[in-house]
Amino acid sequence: MEKFNAFIKNSFNKIRASLPANNNEKVNSFRQVAIENFLKKGLLLGKLENRDNFPIEKEISDDYEFQLQPTPYQPLDSIFKCKIKGIASNTFAFFNGWYLHSGNPITIFPNGMIIGSLIAAIECYPDLVFSRLGKHRLAGNNSLNALNEAFFTDGIFIYIPDNVVVEHPMQVVNLISSDQKLLVNNHNLIMVGKNSNFSLVYCNDSIHSENSFANNVTEIYIEENTIVNFCKMENKDAKSIMLEHVVVEQKSHSQFLSNAITFNAGYVRNQFHVTLAEPFAEARVNGLYLVDKKQVVDNHVFVNHAAPDCTSHQLYKGILDDEAIANFNGHILVSQDAQKTAAFQTNRNITLTDEAKITTKPFLEIYADDVQCSHGATVGQLNDTEMFYLRSRGICERNARMLLMYAFAVEVTSFIDIINLRSRLNEMIQRRLKGELSLCDQCFLNCSDRKNFSFEIDVSLL
Amino acid sequence: MLLKIEDLCVSIKGKEILKEFNLEINRGEVHAIMGPNGTGKSTLASVIAGKDIYDVTSGKIIYKDRNLLEMSVEDRAREGIFIGFQYPVEIPGVSMNTFMKTAINEIRQYRHEEPLTAAQFLKLMEEKKKVVELTAKLSNRSVNEGFSGGEKKKNEIFQMAMLNPELSILDETDSGLDIDALRVVANGVTHLRSENNAIVVITHYQRLLDYIIPDKVHVLYDGKIVKTGNKELALELEEKGYDWVKQEYERKKELQNGKI
């Protein structure tokens, strides 16, 4: 890691003047603080995971390239086919860390929503951006966060004013496609006002990326009485490394529902850090990972109950085939005055082979005395009695396995309220379980035209 | 002949359960198998279903002129064998609709028939639910999940109605049922009885046989059928218990041993 840290130090000195918004003092000092934090700690990964299971340090090298200019504009659908038909009303895309647009980096909607490039927002709405940017990070504690803040090229900026119900989900697509070994840092800032309702589908895809390393941070601020749905999906190249850090702060009576769904990964880490800052806030942090071959997926969830009367649920489920590796690390912190906290955590795993590995580590840290908390973790195989019952009715072994795995997986998606999105995801799960999804070399959501299912699961009836 | 079991010996973990078991069943017949606990009744059902925890050490099972023991679990079902389980398993997350539709269409595919359309399937479901007076909406319920004991058994007979088997083995389908549920289940089975199929009911109680009139009643003891009679035998057993049958059998065995 020494080499990597030296590489980052040199790179920062070399390219700092070429990073976006370099004429903005606030941004420059933001980057300066960040690089200092990073260099103080260095790249700290080992503390977070079981080193034996996660040889990521071997994968990170010290010869990454930074893309300091956007790729010349091409329409999104010419490079990438992703249609969540009838689900997302608008799609915003990033290409190798740069906002993809044809001259209009920010869209202002009639209802007052502002969506677009964070760099452009820094210029147009500095007060709005700096009222929040970086406020709720794990400052100094997390070197990856610091790395991101030092080098970020751009990211999505979303501002939803008070009293706005956004009917259809918005979609953000992060694409990485390069012949070079790119290190990409996207920094996203999402601010949702009071009494509002907003859904975001956030996709990370790589088209073909030579050992790319993405290190993204998403900050989400949710005001009172507001509901935010955040659905995050990964379909990455086997060689890619992706670290995603989502930081959420919730005000009173707000609801946050997230689903981190990993279908294909090289090395994917999803880190959720949710703070329930005011009473009666509710968070449901869910995840599903369906991985095979030598894929590695690593989920870290930290729910911080900082105020009384809040509720949190974590449900993470995974199916591991071949030599896949998964890690779940769930931490619930209940501070002393967070009385009447209800916090629940579940992690369930199915390993299909002896070589697949799962490490699950529930961790409750409770300082209040009037709380209701639980955690549970299981690792197992498919149930033989259930398999036999299905087969004894004429269902072949393959389909019986599929039915059981499907039933296991869709428990997670059943919490998604957006019916179209849920049924599309369930379709994806089927395809993934049948092994078809890994054949798609482009976005896994681009399947709406293919009607070649032979498997008799009627999703609409489930 | 639909099913012929010849000198079947079955053991589990070295323990012999069925010993030179013999049974012949023709289409149109209803057989009742009775007997004390632990004599191999459920083992028989499991071996016919294809459960692989049992070792078949010798003998054969011929079903529709084929060697049943060489067939996979699913192929047995596709060839018309149905087991009504004593303890139907709960499968959370798999809806009854999906389960039945997958099963029926796989069976149809095996028989080179077109799959049912959604409308045909739903119509069939509604029709067959009536057989066992199932009123619950099944479409959004997981297989047996949260079903009462009675509902689970009704659900077995409902599946039997859906799959229209040629040979049904009902393993203690009457256990755990109250009088009303017993009547419903038994009437359902009777309704499904035809000249083309055969039904084997494994039971401890004569009561079920008041509804499902058997052609033959067998007593299973010590891993084999030791006595066969008509429905009167069931009444006699109900009245006198199994001891006299056991004694009769032991005496016969001693005599045989003496001869040897």
Side-chain angles (χ1 to χ4, degrees):
Chain A
M1 284 298 100
E2 287 303 310
K3 270 172 126 181
F4 181 77
N5 297 338
F7 160 73
I8 288 299
K9 190 177 177 179
N10 292 338
S11 301
F12 189 74
N13 290 332
K14 206 158 67 188
I15 68 168
R16 63 186 308 169
S18 320
L19 286 165
N22 56 13
N23 53 355
N24 184 310
E25 257 178 51
K26 278 186 171 165
V27 172
N28 285 340
S29 72
F30 185 74
R31 294 192 192 279
Q32 185 59 36
V33 170
I35 193 74
E36 282 167 17
N37 276 334
F38 177 81
L39 294 174
K40 243 184 263 169
K41 298 269 176 184
L43 186 65
L44 273 181
L45 291 167
K47 211 179 160 190
L48 284 163
E49 57 248 308
N50 180 337
R51 276 164 186 263
D52 296 339
N53 279 2
F54 298 94
I56 182 183
E57 294 180 3
K58 272 184 248 157
E59 306 294 329
I60 293 181
S61 59
D62 56 0
D63 54 353
Y64 290 103
E65 301 286 337
F66 294 89
Q67 184 172 328
L68 296 169
Q69 291 291 327
T71 311
Y73 176 74
Q74 329 163 48
L76 179 62
D77 46 9
S78 70
I79 41 177
F80 179 71
K81 292 189 184 72
C82 173
K83 295 170 199 149
I84 317 180
K85 268 186 194 157
I87 297 172
S89 55
N90 295 71
T91 298
F92 307 90
F94 289 82
F95 193 77
N96 295 344
W98 293 86
Y99 188 58
L100 197 66
H101 68 96
S102 55
N104 210 356
I106 284 197
T107 310
I108 302 168
F109 290 80
N111 60 9
M113 279 196 303
I114 304 170
I115 303 184
S117 143
L118 178 66
I119 293 296
I122 286 171
E123 208 171 297
C124 304
Y125 309 101
D127 294 345
L128 200 55
V129 170
F130 285 102
S131 71
R132 291 298 192 194
L133 185 71
K135 287 287 179 294
H136 193 74
R137 71 190 138 191
L138 296 160
N141 283 337
N142 190 304
S143 58
L144 291 165
N145 221 327
L147 180 68
N148 172 283
E149 290 178 359
F151 286 94
F152 76 96
T153 43
D154 208 343
I156 194 82
F157 172 73
I158 298 177
Y159 171 73
I160 312 289
D162 294 351
N163 309 310
V164 169
V165 174
V166 187
E167 209 175 315
H168 297 290
M170 299 284 168
Q171 186 190 18
V172 171
V173 180
N174 276 335
L175 285 172
I176 296 186
S177 177
S178 175
D179 297 332
Q180 291 176 316
K181 264 176 99 168
L182 282 187
L183 171 53
V184 175
N185 293 278
N186 273 23
H187 196 101
N188 306 309
L189 178 61
I190 300 169
M191 300 160 64
V192 188
K194 291 175 195 169
N195 310 313
S196 293
N197 191 327
F198 177 65
S199 301
L200 183 68
V201 181
Y202 180 88
C203 308
N204 283 300
D205 292 85
S206 43
I207 298 176
H208 72 99
S209 56
E210 198 58 38
N211 301 306
S212 69
F213 178 8
N215 176 43
N216 301 332
V217 173
T218 303
E219 297 181 59
I220 305 177
Y221 296 91
I222 306 172
E223 298 297 325
E224 292 157 46
N225 288 316
T226 280
I227 300 173
V228 172
N229 274 293
F230 182 68
C231 188
K232 184 174 174 306
M233 288 176 274
E234 274 94 39
N235 196 39
K236 299 289 282 186
D237 276 355
K239 286 178 179 172
S240 66
I241 295 174
M242 197 191 64
L243 311 177
E244 279 272 337
H245 197 123
V246 180
V247 187
V248 184
E249 187 189 74
Q250 290 183 247
K251 294 287 177 60
S252 71
H253 292 96
S254 65
Q255 289 176 36
F256 175 66
L257 168 68
S258 73
N259 280 280
I261 296 176
T262 307
F263 284 133
N264 281 301
Y267 176 100
V268 163
R269 176 198 284 179
N270 276 311
Q271 205 162 355
F272 274 81
H273 180 128
V274 179
T275 298
L276 300 158
E278 290 183 1
F280 299 104
E282 197 181 324
R284 187 178 278 282
V285 187
N286 289 350
L288 175 69
Y289 37 98
L290 308 174
V291 283
D292 58 6
K293 303 190 191 86
K294 287 178 184 277
Q295 300 174 357
V296 179
V297 59
D298 187 7
N299 281 295
H300 294 257
V301 183
F302 175 50
V303 177
N304 177 10
H305 280 262
D309 299 299
C310 292
T311 307
S312 69
H313 296 265
Q314 296 170 36
L315 175 65
Y316 274 74
K317 293 183 106 174
I319 301 176
L320 284 77
D321 202 352
D322 304 328
E323 295 162 62
I325 293 173
N327 182 38
F328 174 76
N329 214 321
H331 182 180
I332 298 171
L333 170 66
V334 181
S335 67
Q336 202 171 354
D337 51 0
Q339 300 295 356
K340 307 273 183 203
T341 285
F344 310 100
Q345 182 190 86
T346 308
N347 175 229
R348 301 208 185 288
N349 300 280
I350 291 178
T351 51
L352 299 175
T353 62
D354 290 341
E355 288 74 34
K357 270 192 222 165
I358 165 84
T359 310
T360 171
K361 190 176 153 200
F363 179 36
L364 306 186
E365 192 181 353
I366 302 169
Y367 298 101
D369 46 24
D370 183 11
V371 299
Q372 201 189 341
C373 291
S374 73
H375 66 84
T378 56
V379 180
Q381 284 81 42
L382 290 174
N383 183 310
D384 286 344
T385 322
E386 293 176 359
M387 278 292 292
F388 182 76
Y389 191 78
L390 294 173
R391 291 178 64 201
S392 77
R393 299 302 186 237
I395 299 173
C396 69
E397 196 169 346
R398 180 171 179 269
N399 279 353
R401 285 167 78 92
M402 208 75 80
L403 274 172
L404 293 180
M405 291 195 289
Y406 182 75
F408 175 84
V410 296
E411 189 193 349
V412 175
T413 52
S414 70
F415 290 100
I416 296 175
D417 289 334
I418 307 154
I419 292 167
N420 284 340
L421 177 60
R422 184 174 66 213
S423 56
R424 177 57 49 84
L425 279 172
N426 289 348
E427 223 172 85
M428 293 302 123
I429 291 168
Q430 273 180 49
R431 292 175 61 85
R432 182 67 183 96
L433 292 175
K434 288 193 312 190
E436 285 176 14
L437 210 51
S438 52
L439 301 176
C440 300
D441 51 356
Q442 293 213 341
C443 175
F444 56 86
L445 290 168
N446 180 33
C447 69
S448 50
D449 303 328
R450 302 181 199 182
K451 285 279 175 212
N452 55 350
F453 297 138
S454 58
F455 183 41
E456 274 302 327
I457 284 182
D458 191 342
V459 179
S460 62
L461 294 171
L462 287 165
Chain B
M1 195 170 301
L2 187 59
L3 181 80
K4 186 178 165 83
I5 303 178
E6 261 179 41
D7 296 329
L8 187 71
C9 294
V10 175
S11 61
I12 181 166
K13 290 175 188 158
K15 187 175 180 263
E16 250 194 316
I17 298 178
L18 293 180
K19 303 166 190 170
E20 295 180 1
F21 179 94
N22 289 284
L23 183 65
E24 290 181 8
I25 297 170
N26 294 304
R27 289 182 195 271
E29 290 177 352
V30 172
H31 290 233
I33 296 181
M34 304 182 77
N37 287 324
T39 50
K41 299 193 297 294
S42 288
T43 300
L44 177 67
S46 296
V47 169
I48 293 173
K51 203 150 201 171
D52 59 5
I53 55 168
Y54 298 97
D55 299 319
V56 175
T57 49
S58 66
K60 50 187 170 182
I61 305 179
I62 304 300
Y63 173 71
K64 296 204 292 194
D65 299 324
R66 286 180 61 183
N67 181 354
L68 185 78
L69 295 171
E70 280 178 358
M71 289 161 70
S72 68
V73 176
E74 52 268 34
D75 279 355
R76 295 178 197 206
R78 292 161 178 176
E79 284 290 348
I81 289 181
F82 178 88
I83 311 292
F85 290 102
Q86 189 178 357
Y87 303 109
V89 60
E90 296 189 13
I91 311 181
V94 177
S95 76
M96 276 303 295
N97 261 21
T98 304
F99 171 44
M100 279 291 100
K101 198 173 176 189
T102 310
I104 283 185
N105 282 343
E106 276 201 46
I107 293 171
R108 293 181 70 89
Q109 193 181 5
Y110 178 84
R111 296 174 184 164
H112 306 291
E113 293 165 357
E114 284 293 304
L116 290 185
T117 65
Q120 287 171 324
F121 173 76
L122 289 175
K123 198 175 152 228
L124 186 69
M125 286 276 277
E126 288 312 309
E127 193 187 307
K128 300 302 180 188
K129 273 164 72 175
K130 289 184 194 134
V131 173
V132 280
E133 299 176 24
L134 262 178
T135 46
K137 271 197 82 162
L138 292 178
S139 54
N140 43 14
R141 288 188 75 176
S142 294
V143 178
N144 290 322
E145 194 187 30
F147 284 31
S148 69
E151 275 180 313
K152 281 181 186 167
K153 296 299 175 74
K154 280 186 188 176
N155 192 17
E156 293 294 287
I157 306 306
F158 165 70
Q159 292 172 40
M160 175 179 163
M162 290 292 287
L163 302 176
N164 192 21
E166 289 165 80
L167 174 66
S168 304
I169 318 263
L170 306 178
D171 189 7
E172 296 199 26
T173 299
D174 52 343
S175 67
L177 293 184
D178 63 33
I179 299 162
D180 290 333
L182 180 78
R183 180 184 46 77
V184 170
V185 163
N187 285 342
V189 175
T190 310
H191 178 84
L192 298 172
R193 185 175 181 172
S194 83
E195 280 309 304
N196 281 322
N197 63 28
I199 299 170
V200 178
V201 287
I202 294 173
T203 181
H204 278 293
Y205 307 105
Q206 183 271 333
R207 209 173 50 184
L208 179 69
L209 306 179
D210 284 344
Y211 298 97
I212 308 171
I213 315 290
D215 298 298
K216 284 181 180 168
V217 175
H218 309 279
V219 178
L220 183 59
Y221 178 66
D222 193 27
K224 56 175 73 92
I225 286 170
V226 295
K227 195 165 186 66
T228 295
N230 57 16
K231 63 181 179 172
E232 309 301 328
L233 176 61
L235 287 167
E236 198 178 349
L237 290 167
E238 179 84 357
E239 200 183 311
K240 300 202 282 193
Y242 290 113
D243 282 353
W244 65 278
V245 185
K246 288 186 200 169
Q247 283 160 11
E248 207 178 273
Y249 168 71
E250 299 293 347
R251 226 178 6 252
K252 213 159 94 187
K253 207 161 120 183
E254 274 166 31
L255 275 173
Q256 272 177 352
N257 287 345
K259 274 181 194 164
I260 294 160

